[in-house]
Amino acid sequence: MSDKSIDWNLLRKVRNHTADARERAAFEAWLRADSRHRAYYERLREAETRREDRPLRVDETFDELRKSLVSRPAVSRSSFPIRYAAVAAVILLCVAGVVWQQFSNDHETERVCDLLAREYLPASDRAMLIVNDTCYNLGRGENLSLDVAGGRIENDGSERLKYSADAGTRAVQNRLVIPRGGFYSVCLEDGTVVTLNAESELIYPSVFDAHSREVELRGEAFFEVAHDADRPFYVRVSGYRIQVLGTRFNVSAYEDESLHHTTLVEGSVRILDESSQTVCRELLLRPGEQFSHDLTTSRSMVTRVDTRRYTAWLEGEFVFDNTPLGDVLRTVSRWYDFRYEITDPALEKYTFSGQISMKGTSDYLFRVLHEAYIPVTLRFEEGILYLDKR
């Protein structure tokens, strides 16, 4: 547990006596942070001991806090301290992780959640590689060994492609396409490793030239760039390029999102203006900084961020911090590959904070939203999940 996000799985580990020393220390810090935290936890233990069939009644003070901070439409960050959002997240996630009975009152929503759990599973390692107009399907257990202009492509059945170069040969372009509900990684011929999230695409040569290395990204990927002082590495996205010699960073540049992010974990990068090809030196990034570019307004900015929020997907976690419901659903639907429609735009203004495992079933988020008193009901018709305002 941290100040900005709450891991509901931690509470379950503590109750199951499977938490390690670090996790136990984080839990104890949460208990000490507020006397009401300990009071709520003691009530939870009592309920589990008695094995009550009825739902656990939340303390009135917590209940009021949850309603006022979680379920109302989003307000500006200046009037919404993160520490109170974190408290609200403690409540909704802890309750949602333990108490499921309340949800049974809405039978249709429960039926839809059961369907989501059965039909829409977490993303798996699958992708399509397109070389010379030929498409190769990649997935767990599927081997690939292919000679192409510029080198060789191999896959030993794992979730990663590996390229090796043949000196003096002409390169061929490759496209690695990750569908919704998939993920994959590739080790390029220079040793750079790129891990791609769901609904993403990477375009790159089978072998880089002697002067530079350049790839093009649509979607989201984490880069671990091999150092080569003589050949700078470039990532081209819509509106700008990222230049780096050797570093680790995350890029989110989905075509259905107007705001693109480059988040630097290690090393340093420069942002190149795509229109003028000149270096924006004032946008030189250092570890812990994020470059944001708004495609709608063409405005850019650099801010300091908690990089784990933007790289947690590599560890199998969704991390949300006062995130609008529309953004939450867009992220989650890519991973589980379901289609959805928010029928009332007012719902998109509600926000969500918390940390959820990406390995769980797709229904869990909607159960948590219900526990947060977000006024939403679910319908599933002709392959589309509808979120209605109740």
Side-chain angles (χ1 to χ4, degrees):
M1 295 183 181
S2 68
D3 292 339
K4 293 187 177 182
S5 64
I6 304 300
D7 183 359
W8 68 269
N9 291 306
L10 180 57
L11 188 62
R12 180 171 294 172
K13 285 185 177 182
V14 171
R15 298 299 302 131
N16 292 339
H17 305 289
T18 58
D20 59 26
R22 180 184 59 81
E23 292 168 331
R24 186 73 193 181
F27 171 71
E28 293 294 339
W30 175 73
L31 285 181
R32 294 193 299 269
D34 193 312
S35 61
R36 294 171 298 176
H37 293 182
R38 185 174 294 278
Y40 173 75
Y41 180 64
E42 292 301 325
R43 288 170 59 83
L44 176 64
R45 290 205 310 171
E46 290 177 12
E48 289 182 340
T49 301
R50 293 195 302 269
R51 298 184 181 279
E52 296 177 333
D53 292 330
R54 62 181 176 82
L56 176 65
R57 177 179 171 81
V58 182
D59 178 270
E60 290 184 2
T61 303
F62 269 108
D63 195 40
E64 293 175 1
L65 184 62
R66 177 170 59 178
K67 290 180 180 180
S68 63
L69 296 186
V70 179
S71 64
R72 68 185 182 184
V75 294
S76 66
R77 286 185 178 272
S78 61
S79 61
F80 193 97
I82 288 180
R83 63 190 183 93
Y84 291 124
V87 173
V90 172
I91 302 163
L92 76 93
L93 292 178
C94 289
V95 173
V98 180
V99 183
W100 299 97
Q101 295 94 326
Q102 294 179 7
F103 208 74
S104 60
N105 295 331
D106 188 337
H107 299 296
E108 175 61 14
T109 295
E110 179 68 17
R111 184 190 69 80
V112 172
C113 281
D114 287 343
L115 184 149
L116 290 172
R118 293 193 311 270
E119 302 295 332
Y120 295 91
L121 302 178
S124 60
D125 51 327
R126 56 196 182 96
M128 293 180 294
L129 174 66
I130 303 172
V131 185
N132 292 328
D133 296 324
T134 301
C135 181
Y136 302 90
N137 289 319
L138 305 174
R140 185 175 297 277
E142 296 184 14
N143 296 339
L144 176 69
S145 182
L146 184 66
D147 289 314
V148 297
R152 184 174 182 80
I153 311 171
E154 294 181 295
N155 175 13
D156 59 3
S158 65
E159 60 194 49
R160 177 178 296 178
L161 285 177
K162 183 175 178 59
Y163 284 72
S164 56
D166 292 332
T169 59
R170 180 174 174 273
V172 62
Q173 283 293 92
N174 292 246
R175 289 176 59 204
L176 186 60
V177 180
I178 316 301
R180 293 170 65 88
F183 63 86
Y184 219 79
S185 68
V186 55
C187 180
L188 304 177
E189 62 87 7
D190 67 331
T192 292
V193 176
V194 186
T195 303
L196 290 104
N197 205 344
E199 199 173 25
S200 300
E201 178 179 338
L202 187 72
I203 301 174
Y204 54 95
S206 54
V207 59
F208 294 111
D209 64 36
H211 306 291
S212 67
R213 300 168 289 169
E214 182 165 322
V215 302
E216 183 177 349
L217 172 69
R218 299 186 185 95
E220 184 171 26
F222 186 81
F223 291 82
E224 299 174 85
V225 178
H227 179 76
D228 188 339
D230 296 326
R231 294 191 301 171
F233 193 97
Y234 297 93
V235 180
R236 183 188 298 274
V237 297
S238 180
Y240 64 99
R241 288 195 303 167
I242 305 157
Q243 179 186 2
V244 59
L245 294 177
T247 188
R248 303 171 67 239
F249 58 98
N250 193 80
V251 180
S252 180
Y254 283 104
E255 293 182 337
D256 61 351
E257 294 183 1
S258 61
L259 195 61
H260 291 178
H261 301 291
T262 298
T263 307
L264 183 62
V265 175
E266 180 182 298
S268 63
V269 300
R270 287 185 291 181
I271 306 300
L272 302 178
D273 187 318
E274 186 67 16
S275 59
S276 64
Q277 301 295 306
T278 58
V279 177
C280 302
R281 297 186 185 279
E282 70 275 17
L283 297 182
L284 178 70
L285 296 189
R286 294 179 175 83
E289 292 184 335
Q290 181 183 80
F291 170 76
S292 300
H293 180 69
D294 192 324
L295 298 181
T296 303
T297 64
S298 296
R299 298 183 63 181
S300 302
M301 64 183 299
V302 175
T303 56
R304 291 204 62 82
V305 297
D306 178 1
T307 59
R308 187 181 179 279
R309 176 185 170 190
Y310 300 92
T311 61
W313 65 273
L314 295 164
E315 303 171 6
E317 299 286 347
F318 293 115
V319 175
F320 301 110
D321 180 13
N322 204 27
T323 306
L325 180 59
D327 293 346
V328 171
L329 290 172
R330 188 160 46 243
T331 297
V332 172
S333 67
R334 291 191 188 108
W335 187 253
Y336 291 98
D337 189 18
F338 64 82
R339 294 188 297 161
Y340 70 92
E341 182 176 324
I342 299 177
T343 59
D344 189 333
L347 283 174
E348 298 189 28
K349 298 180 181 179
Y350 287 83
T351 63
F352 177 77
S353 296
Q355 180 171 320
I356 300 176
S357 172
M358 299 169 73
K359 300 176 182 178
T361 54
S362 56
D363 64 309
Y364 186 75
L365 170 68
F366 300 101
R367 298 181 185 275
V368 172
L369 294 178
H370 186 273
E371 291 292 344
Y373 292 108
I374 291 180
V376 61
T377 59
L378 305 180
R379 289 183 294 119
F380 194 86
E381 299 176 4
E382 298 182 354
I384 301 177
L385 175 66
Y386 292 93
L387 288 90
D388 302 319
K389 191 174 187 298
R390 66 167 185 259

